[in-house]
Each structure stands twice: as structure tokens, then as C-alpha cells.
């Protein structure tokens, strides 16, 4: 009987750990402030915090050093970002985006040369706007409440940049594989529709 109880529990724990390290549990910085908090409860492990917030369809979660799990819908203030990295927030809170197909890479002191930063609402908005690209770069600014500047580019543009600990005014780099097949299919459909319209006009 003990084996029947232990094996499902082990499977659940393994699944929780796998979910915790997947790309859709995305580090978006360390900090000491949040906007509107929707749900707070006590839980000892960050993977349990992540799973509960995800099941309840929140956008972000933070597992505080005091074991409070916080689920929230609105992004943390850009100006509240502090030094740190994934799992290394030095006593501060770690901000996490629950659903994403991007992966955090590292932070840099400066952006690639010749590229313009575009103001964005949040890290999430930046990543969504960069979907056709391989690389998204987000920079949280420090003037309260701050904003997130965004750059979309390719991996080869990162060569020669200097890595640094993440903080406000640093460049957070994320990477994913664009869906080239879907993008090319959309272009082909648009071209086909354009061709049909031209034929109808000719008649």
C-alpha cells in the first residue's frame, strides 16, 4: 500500500520540478516592489507557487524569501528592479512571467550597436512584440514608476557585448526560435489573396 501512495506522489513532484524549469516559467528580474497583488498565501517551494498561480490563470508570480507566494496580473514596476539573477536575488523578490516560450540568457551593460530602443509596457509586451525575431532585449528604467525599453534582433548582434549582473538600466536578453513556417505561411496566404483580388479587378 505504501508503494501505491509513494509512486504517484513522486510522479507529481517530478512533474512539478519539470514545470518549474520549463521556458514558460521565465525570470524577468529581482526587485523590492510589486503593483497590484491579487493573491497571497504561504507555500514552502517556489515550484508549488508557480503551479498554483498558473492553474488560477495569473500572469506573474513571486515566491518571497518569507515563503509567501504572490500571484498577480500586472507587471512589477520597472523602477523596482534590483541586482540579481535567476535563483540569486540576494534576499529580494524574484519576478517571474508564468507563460512564455522564451528563455532568459544573461544581462549586458549596453545594447547592440546601431539598434534603437522602443518604449514598451513591460517585459511581457517586449517579448510579444519580438516574436518574429530570435532575440528580445528588455531594459527596465529606474525613474519611478519606470518603463521597459525593448529591442528585437538576432543572436549574431550580441557578439562582443559585456555581460553584467542584472539590475535596472541593464539589458536583459531572451532567446527563442521563431516559427518561420507559420510566418512564411501567413505571407503566402496574404500574397494569394492579393493575387485573387487582382484577378477579380481585371474581370
Amino acid at each position: 500500500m505504501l508503494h501505491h501512495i509513494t509512486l504517484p506522489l513522486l510522479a507529481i513532484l517530478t512533474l512539478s520540478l519539470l514545470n518549474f524549469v520549463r521556458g514558460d516559467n521565465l525570470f524577468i528580474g529581482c526587485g523590492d516592489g510589486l503593483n497590484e497583488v491579487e493573491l497571497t498565501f504561504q507555500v514552502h517551494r517556489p515550484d508549488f507557487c508557480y503551479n498554483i498561480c498558473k492553474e488560477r490563470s495569473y500572469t506573474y508570480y513571486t515566491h518571497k524569501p518569507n515563503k509567501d507566494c504572490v500571484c498577480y496580473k500586472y507587471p512589477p514596476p520597472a523602477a523596482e528592479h534590483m541586482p540579481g539573477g535567476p535563483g540569486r536575488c540576494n534576499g529580494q523578490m524574484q519576478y517571474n512571467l508564468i507563460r512564455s516560450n522564451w528563455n532568459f540568457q544573461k544581462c549586458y551593460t549596453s545594447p547592440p550597436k546601431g539598434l534603437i530602443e522602443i518604449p514598451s509596457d513591460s517585459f511581457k509586451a517586449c517579448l510579444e512584440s519580438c516574436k518574429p525575431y530570435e532575440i528580445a532585449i528588455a531594459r527596465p528604467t529606474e525613474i519611478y514608476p519606470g518603463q521597459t525599453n525593448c529591442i528585437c534582433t538576432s543572436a549574431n548582434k550580441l557578439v562582443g557585448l559585456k555581460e553584467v549582473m542584472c539590475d535596472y538600466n541593464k539589458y536583459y536578453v531572451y532567446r527563442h526560435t521563431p516559427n518561420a513556417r507559420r510566418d512564411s505561411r501567413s505571407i503566402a496566404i496574404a500574397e494569394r489573396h492579393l493575387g485573387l483580388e487582382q484577378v477579380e479587378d481585371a474581370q
Side-chain angles (χ1 to χ4, degrees):
M1 191 69 181
L2 181 61
H3 293 294
H4 292 294
I5 295 171
T6 305
L7 287 176
L9 180 60
L10 180 61
I12 291 168
L13 291 174
T14 303
L15 182 60
S16 295
L17 289 171
L18 285 173
N19 284 340
F20 185 58
V21 298
R22 270 170 30 183
D24 67 347
N25 177 13
L26 188 66
F27 167 80
I28 56 168
C30 302
D32 62 358
L34 293 172
N35 281 323
E36 297 178 32
V37 171
E38 305 287 331
L39 178 67
T40 302
F41 55 93
Q42 279 266 320
V43 65
H44 284 284
R45 290 174 44 165
D47 53 326
F48 291 164
C49 177
Y50 159 74
N51 282 325
I52 291 169
C53 294
K54 183 177 181 180
E55 286 169 5
R56 298 189 182 197
S57 300
Y58 287 100
T59 308
Y60 304 91
Y61 84 95
T62 289
H63 189 244
K64 292 183 176 182
N66 68 357
K67 306 303 180 186
D68 276 351
C69 176
V70 183
C71 308
Y72 46 110
K73 294 180 180 176
Y74 300 101
E80 299 292 349
H81 277 69
M82 304 286 285
R88 297 179 289 107
C89 282
N90 307 311
Q92 304 294 331
M93 295 184 290
Q94 179 168 315
Y95 305 139
N96 308 278
L97 180 60
I98 292 173
R99 297 179 185 275
S100 177
N101 62 354
W102 293 81
N103 290 292
F104 173 71
Q105 302 294 293
K106 57 188 70 175
C107 285
Y108 292 110
T109 56
S110 60
K113 289 182 179 179
L115 299 181
I116 298 173
E117 297 179 40
I118 305 298
S120 177
D121 290 339
S122 62
F123 277 56
K124 182 176 184 289
C126 176
L127 297 174
E128 288 176 351
S129 69
C130 289
K131 278 182 180 177
Y133 296 84
E134 184 183 10
I135 298 293
I137 304 173
R139 179 176 70 93
T141 61
E142 83 278 19
I143 302 172
Y144 196 85
Q147 69 180 29
T148 300
N149 290 348
C150 184
I151 298 171
C152 306
T153 187
S154 57
N156 61 353
K157 297 288 187 180
L158 304 177
V159 176
L161 297 182
K162 184 181 178 183
E163 186 178 352
V164 70
M165 179 181 288
C166 298
D167 199 350
Y168 65 78
N169 270 338
K170 301 300 184 290
Y171 293 82
Y172 293 64
V173 173
Y174 298 87
R175 184 171 187 166
H176 81 150
T177 302
N179 192 335
R181 180 180 297 177
R182 184 181 63 193
D183 294 342
S184 61
R185 185 171 178 270
S186 299
I187 292 168
I189 290 170
E191 287 176 346
R192 189 160 59 245
H193 282 304
L194 180 61
L196 288 173
E197 288 172 3
Q198 289 173 343
V199 169
E200 289 172 359
D201 291 340
Q203 293 174 349

